[in-house]
Amino acid sequence: MIDQVDEFNAYRQKMNDKVLGENNKVLKRIFNLDTNAFAEGALDKQTKELLGLVASLVLRCDDCVKYHLESSFKSGMSKDQIMETLSIGTLIGGTIVIPHLRKAYDYWETLETKEIQ
């Protein structure tokens, strides 16, 4: 069975490399802005990841949800913190978010099982 965490990360890296390899100034700046936005600042990284998770869930971006779940997991957040965050995203996004909530829950369980570092 293919590990969905490894598969997601490998595909994401491969495609990021291709996109950035095009040497497009606008895309490089957007990627850089995204990286810098989630750096430590007035808000700590964990809070920013949770904000990103809520926004990604509401926007129904499964890849973004996976990214923020993994970043949250690596930073040591608990399942209770994630569930509370996902509940807020579902409340804000409405019932249309529920299929994405299911995928998020499944991915979190995969992260817990895999015990990535």
Side-chain angles (χ1 to χ4, degrees), residues 45-109:
K45 286 182 177 184
Q46 284 188 333
T47 299
K48 290 181 178 187
E49 288 301 335
L50 295 178
L51 290 169
L53 179 56
V54 167
S56 297
L57 189 63
V58 170
L59 292 170
R60 301 185 306 266
C61 177
D62 291 329
D63 281 4
C64 301
V65 168
K66 286 179 180 178
Y67 175 81
H68 291 293
L69 284 172
E70 190 168 334
S71 295
S72 297
F73 184 83
K74 286 179 177 178
S75 74
M77 286 191 219
S78 69
K79 185 175 186 176
D80 287 341
Q81 290 172 302
I82 295 302
M83 291 308 299
E84 192 166 322
T85 302
L86 292 173
S87 70
I88 292 167
T90 304
L91 174 66
I92 293 168
T95 57
I96 198 166
V97 170
I98 291 174
H100 306 277
L101 169 65
R102 290 183 191 119
K103 291 175 186 173
Y105 189 90
D106 179 52
Y107 199 72
W108 182 262
E109 283 189 327

Side-chain angles (χ1 to χ4, degrees), residues 7-8 10 16 19 23 25 31 59 62 72 84 86:
E7 182 180 21
F8 170 72
N16 282 353
V19 169
N23 204 25
K25 187 188 296 186
F31 274 62
L59 292 170
D62 291 329
S72 297
E84 192 166 322
L86 292 173

